[in-house]
Amino acid sequence: MRALRGDLTGNRTLRGVAKAARALHLPVRGIYLSNVEFYFDYGSGLGDNLAALPVDGRSMVARTYPFKHRGSDYRYVVQSALDLQAWLKRGEVANLR
């Protein structure tokens, strides 16, 4: 696991991860987006960058979803990375909301 700080909508952070993973012939298996999808739509570059990651059937995306219920401020949602990339490919999903 590697934590990275960077612009997820730009051309370096996620694209760099994708390039390194491809060079090593490894899929990216875990992607934690925190709540970035509440700040940026997929059309901001975020969607293209997520679609560029080499993933496989075991790759998962985790995200923090704001949710006020019974003393908890957040829920953590897990999705197959292939499913997310299928959403992005269809072009019908502009953002997580």
Side-chain angles (χ1 to χ4, degrees):
M1 180 182 279
R2 171 101 193 246
L4 293 175
R5 172 176 260 161
D7 180 359
L8 301 182
T9 66
N11 293 323
R12 295 183 62 177
T13 305
L14 289 177
R15 297 288 177 147
V17 170
K19 183 178 178 181
R22 281 195 181 87
L24 294 168
H25 305 285
L26 294 172
V28 174
R29 290 272 169 77
I31 306 159
Y32 175 58
L33 296 174
S34 185
N35 59 352
V36 72
E37 293 159 299
F38 284 89
Y39 293 95
F40 299 102
D41 287 344
Y42 295 127
S44 67
L46 176 63
D48 288 340
N49 292 336
L50 291 169
L53 292 171
V55 299
D56 65 13
R58 292 174 50 199
S59 301
M60 302 302 286
V61 177
R63 55 180 58 95
T64 305
Y65 196 92
F67 182 80
K68 300 273 187 193
H69 183 70
R70 295 185 187 175
S72 175
D73 291 337
Y74 297 99
R75 282 194 175 173
Y76 299 93
V77 180
V78 178
Q79 177 184 23
S80 156
L82 290 175
D83 184 51
L84 174 61
Q85 288 184 340
W87 278 8
L88 297 170
K89 186 176 181 178
R90 289 181 62 172
E92 297 172 4
V93 179
N95 56 54
L96 182 61
R97 295 176 299 281

